[in-house]
Amino acid sequence: MRRAWLLLLAASLGASPASTGSEPAAATATLASLRIEAGDGEYLAWADNRLAGPIEVLLTGNTGRDARSDPPLPARATVGAGDSALVARLQVPAIGIGALHLSLRGVPGHPGARPRDVAYLPPVPPDSLRIEQGWGGSASHDDDENRHALDFAADPGTPVLAARGGTVMQVEAGFRGSGLDRARLLDRANLVRILHDDGTMALYAHLAPDGARVRPGQQVLAGEQIAVSGNTGYSSGPHLHFVVQVNRGLRLVSVPFRMPGVLPP
């Protein structure tokens, strides 16, 4: 699931006030877009958050010898759910507007999230409680984003349940197909991301095409059905990937959690 939540936009100040850019080959939903507005003798670089939860963005670019940025690039900003934030003010007096190129990267989650000790419910029905890969699994749970992830065996169509209540922050439902072509399929897993009241986020991934049963911004309760499982993206077979993450320095990091009856106390 690495990079499924990242966006890189390249924008030229010579374009229209709404910047243009290209999405990754995975065509994941845009987390944020870069918007350039003309100000009083300067250009304003705004980040527009398209998720129903906070994100952190990083604006980078080569301002050149004559251009100035306040604050200097790279510049960070935290943007609330569905909101916009001014990331930088740009002065480009001599180089020409079209010569300045900017890139915006976004990561879900507020960098100040502080996880609480909460008991999570299993994200699949009791008769489906079989773990195929646990914490630190060598197959795909050996990086910071997934070290504390669980893969539940789940036939396609198995109900996926909210392990903890919260706000639906992100939904991906349009991908089809799976396999072990990492370069092509790593970012093509359908998913639901739920934001909790302590800033942590639960990711439910490899869902069925059109398998989401919730929409961004919706409030869900623990135990409520949010999707049906599938086998999409980089996957060797049908399963549900579940992980709790926080944003730490513009990168997602998995955190340990309690799930009575599934994980040892």
Side-chain angles (χ1 to χ4, degrees):
M1 291 306 303
R2 177 179 290 181
R3 294 190 302 276
W5 36 83
L6 298 184
L7 169 71
L8 187 65
L9 281 177
S12 169
L13 290 183
S16 62
S19 64
T20 58
S22 58
E23 295 184 10
T28 53
T30 302
L31 303 187
S33 57
L34 176 62
R35 176 166 48 91
I36 305 299
E37 289 184 349
D40 185 11
E42 61 185 0
Y43 289 88
L44 308 179
W46 293 85
D48 298 326
N49 181 4
R50 299 186 180 182
L51 295 190
I55 65 172
E56 187 179 19
V57 297
L58 179 69
L59 180 67
T60 58
N62 182 4
T63 56
R65 187 172 51 186
D66 297 323
R68 297 291 183 268
S69 173
D70 180 24
L73 301 184
R76 295 189 185 197
T78 302
V79 193
D83 204 354
S84 301
L86 179 62
V87 185
R89 298 175 179 271
L90 307 164
Q91 297 86 37
V92 287
I95 62 174
I97 293 174
L100 184 59
H101 294 270
L102 302 172
S103 295
L104 183 73
R105 184 166 69 93
V107 177
H110 194 288
R114 293 293 179 264
R116 295 201 323 268
D117 182 19
V118 175
Y120 285 75
L121 299 178
V124 292
D127 58 356
S128 300
L129 282 179
R130 182 167 64 86
I131 295 177
E132 291 186 333
Q133 185 180 189
W135 289 1
S138 60
S140 59
H141 296 175
D142 55 358
D143 61 3
D144 287 344
E145 296 172 16
N146 299 289
R147 184 159 289 113
H148 295 100
L150 295 176
D151 285 349
F152 290 87
D155 293 332
T158 299
V160 176
L161 314 175
R164 178 180 174 184
T167 302
V168 178
M169 181 177 181
Q170 181 182 9
V171 173
E172 299 276 0
F175 296 132
R176 285 168 169 76
S178 64
L180 296 178
D181 185 340
R182 186 180 181 90
R184 185 174 66 88
L185 296 169
L186 188 63
D187 297 341
R188 301 188 69 87
N190 293 322
L191 61 89
V192 170
R193 185 184 300 277
I194 294 180
L195 174 68
H196 308 135
D197 58 8
D198 58 359
T200 60
M201 301 168 290
L203 182 72
Y204 306 76
H206 303 297
L207 307 177
D210 302 317
R213 298 292 183 265
V214 291
R215 64 187 184 280
Q218 180 177 337
Q219 299 293 314
V220 297
L221 300 175
E224 183 177 345
Q225 183 174 356
I226 58 172
V228 295
S229 67
N231 185 33
T232 53
Y234 181 62
S235 170
S236 60
H239 70 283
L240 173 69
H241 180 88
F242 175 81
V243 64
V244 180
Q245 298 171 324
V246 293
N247 171 14
R248 289 292 180 260
L250 278 165
R251 64 190 184 94
L252 289 176
V253 175
S254 63
V255 295
F257 56 89
R258 287 193 298 115
M259 189 173 284
V262 176
L263 292 169

